[in-house]
Amino acid sequence: MRVINIPENSSFTLEKSYVEEFQIFLNDNKNLPLYLQGETIIFDSYIIGSINIRDIIINIEPRISKLTSNHYLEMQLYNEGLLDDRISSQLDENESFGVQENLIDLFLKNAYELVSSGLEGDFVKIKEATNKIRGKILVEEISPINLLQDKIPIEYEIHTLNTSYNKIIKIALDKVRVLATKQIHIKLYSLVNSYFEDIDVDAINLNDLLQDIEMKTHFENENYSIVLGLAEKIIRNLKINLKSNKVNSSSYLMNSNSLFENYARNVLLNNLSVKVIKWKKDKPMGKLKIGSEEYVKSYSPDIIINYHEDSDTAFAVLDAKNKDISNHSKIGDLSDIYQLLFYSNSLSSEYGGFVYPYYGALEPVQINVESFKETILFAFTIDFSKPVRERNKTFSNSVKNSLHISD
């Protein structure tokens, strides 16, 4: 495989021999965050991840110094409640893997842990007309035809592994089968799949299966929740195009801005003693009229701490900025400061702050704005050189201590 690394927010021109094949991939996978303009792939803003086309891998690398796509995959898993210490350490072990390989690796290793502890099944009710009595006789459903056939309708329970949650894992395994290229993944696939060979499933029923598993609130085997989450990501987000049962093209793409914003908010939500929210809908703040047309202007801060709806006030407002501040002069762009001051003023906040991704330790920085002293502003960083548990604790403590939030 030929690996080509390109930076986030750039484009890539394909060799002519790959164009037709990639166009087929786009036709088979609608709504991807990119389009083909002639021979050039144009990506939507802030898209990172990887695209495989036949024998080339295009890695779209984050614009943040020293951060990789795997850091953002880690954020994505944290946001969805799928990241624990074991998953985090597996990601650290495989830093050299591309994002697609890492997702497959995580899924197979955790699926192996699952089958090692044993598959779970459910009791399901079966109805049939028979001359062998078992279970409950359905007296109200006896018909003349049953009597003529010397059969009666009955209902009984059986235990089965053909459950919605095992079927979801089976669909993901079928996808991994054609994607796995490393020997360790091929071996893990064979071991795990042997436990699912008798599971009957049709991917056309995927949405029904996903709705079913939402009703399942508890598993004896604690590995199920993580494996199902990873399986759903493989099914929904890992796009492929097959030719002669081989993968011609595949992609796994993420929006770095939305991932970082959600990650910063979720870390604080999980670690602060006060309420941390983002509004479900943007809040109108003004309007303008041109002719008969009226235009409403709205706003919505990324992170609102201790919001009071009755008075429309908040203790603090933070804005997640997925920007590279390895050059410290980039902290607090003027337009960003104006935006944060507007948020703080609108919500009568005592504190405002930026949150940046960073690789290394950097203490919170207070930003002094001479013409606006009503709100105290800080710049916070999340240190991606640290393991996830330490990183999250350090970040949440820096916010807690700077804003004087009690436990």
Side-chain angles (χ1 to χ4, degrees), residues 170-347:
K170 174 64 173 174
I171 293 173
L173 282 167
D174 288 344
K175 200 167 188 178
V176 164
R177 175 180 57 83
V178 295
L179 284 164
T181 56
K182 291 185 176 295
Q183 283 303 311
I184 181 62
H185 293 161
I186 293 169
K187 183 178 179 180
L188 276 172
Y189 165 80
S190 297
L191 288 168
V192 172
N193 191 63
S194 64
Y195 289 82
F196 290 85
E197 286 180 342
D198 296 329
I199 305 296
D200 299 323
V201 64
D202 189 336
I204 200 169
N205 300 320
L206 176 61
N207 288 332
D208 291 338
L209 295 173
L210 290 171
Q211 286 181 357
D212 286 346
I213 63 173
E214 288 179 3
M215 307 298 292
K216 182 78 174 178
T217 57
H218 175 72
F219 293 98
E220 292 296 328
N221 186 335
E222 61 183 15
N223 296 290
Y224 262 103
S225 295
I226 288 175
V227 174
L228 283 167
L230 294 170
E232 188 172 347
K233 300 200 73 55
I234 287 170
I235 294 166
R236 289 190 181 278
N237 303 125
L238 214 172
K239 307 296 186 181
I240 64 172
N241 168 255
L242 293 175
K243 185 177 181 180
S244 302
N245 210 30
K246 290 185 178 179
V247 177
N248 258 15
S249 305
S250 63
S251 73
Y252 191 88
L253 302 170
M254 304 171 284
N255 185 297
S256 67
N257 269 19
S258 61
L259 283 178
F260 179 69
E261 176 196 324
N262 291 335
Y263 175 68
R265 184 170 53 253
N266 284 324
V267 171
L268 295 179
L269 177 66
N270 294 334
N271 289 279
L272 294 186
S273 58
V274 293
K275 185 168 63 174
V276 177
I277 66 164
K278 181 182 174 74
W279 293 325
K280 292 182 180 179
K281 290 183 179 180
D282 291 358
K283 185 177 289 292
M285 48 74 68
K287 62 180 68 172
L288 60 91
K289 193 172 183 179
I290 301 176
S292 60
E293 295 290 331
E294 189 172 80
Y295 303 91
V296 176
K297 299 299 180 180
S298 305
Y299 75 106
S300 181
D302 296 336
I303 303 168
I304 308 175
I305 297 176
N306 210 12
Y307 176 65
H308 298 279
E309 190 171 4
D310 54 348
S311 58
D312 194 27
T313 60
F315 172 68
V317 180
L318 303 182
D319 204 22
K321 294 297 182 187
N322 185 40
K323 295 183 175 182
D324 188 0
I325 58 162
S326 53
N327 177 349
H328 293 164
S329 68
K330 299 294 184 183
I331 296 173
D333 285 348
L334 191 58
S335 60
D336 293 340
I337 291 176
Y338 285 152
Q339 181 185 35
L340 185 58
L341 287 173
F342 169 76
Y343 290 162
S344 302
N345 182 62
S346 298
L347 297 175

Side-chain angles (χ1 to χ4, degrees), residues 3-27:
V3 178
I4 301 166
N5 297 317
I6 64 172
E8 180 181 354
N9 293 335
S10 63
S11 58
F12 180 76
T13 300
L14 293 168
E15 296 171 20
K16 287 185 178 180
S17 59
Y18 293 91
V19 173
E20 182 179 354
E21 199 166 291
F22 189 66
Q23 185 61 64
I24 293 171
F25 171 68
L26 293 182
N27 293 340

Side-chain angles (χ1 to χ4, degrees), residues 89-202:
S89 65
Q90 288 170 350
L91 279 167
D92 289 341
E93 288 169 8
N94 300 323
E95 285 183 351
S96 61
F97 283 15
V99 67
Q100 292 187 46
E101 285 182 332
N102 239 332
L103 184 61
I104 290 169
D105 187 77
L106 291 174
F107 171 68
L108 288 174
K109 284 181 176 176
N110 285 277
Y112 179 72
E113 293 291 329
L114 183 150
V115 299
S116 298
S117 299
L119 294 186
E120 289 186 21
D122 283 333
F123 285 96
V124 296
K125 291 182 178 180
I126 303 293
K127 287 185 178 182
E128 65 178 27
T130 180
N131 54 16
K132 294 181 180 179
I133 304 300
R134 61 187 293 196
K136 176 185 176 184
I137 298 175
L138 302 175
V139 177
E140 66 280 4
E141 295 185 19
I142 296 175
S143 69
I145 294 176
N146 293 144
L147 298 175
L148 284 172
Q149 294 174 339
D150 196 25
K151 293 181 178 180
I152 56 172
I154 62 171
E155 182 181 80
Y156 57 93
E157 285 190 333
I158 63 168
H159 188 268
T160 180
L161 295 178
N162 261 312
T163 60
S164 55
Y165 44 90
N166 285 332
K167 289 179 178 182
I168 290 288
I169 297 171
K170 174 64 173 174
I171 293 173
L173 282 167
D174 288 344
K175 200 167 188 178
V176 164
R177 175 180 57 83
V178 295
L179 284 164
T181 56
K182 291 185 176 295
Q183 283 303 311
I184 181 62
H185 293 161
I186 293 169
K187 183 178 179 180
L188 276 172
Y189 165 80
S190 297
L191 288 168
V192 172
N193 191 63
S194 64
Y195 289 82
F196 290 85
E197 286 180 342
D198 296 329
I199 305 296
D200 299 323
V201 64
D202 189 336

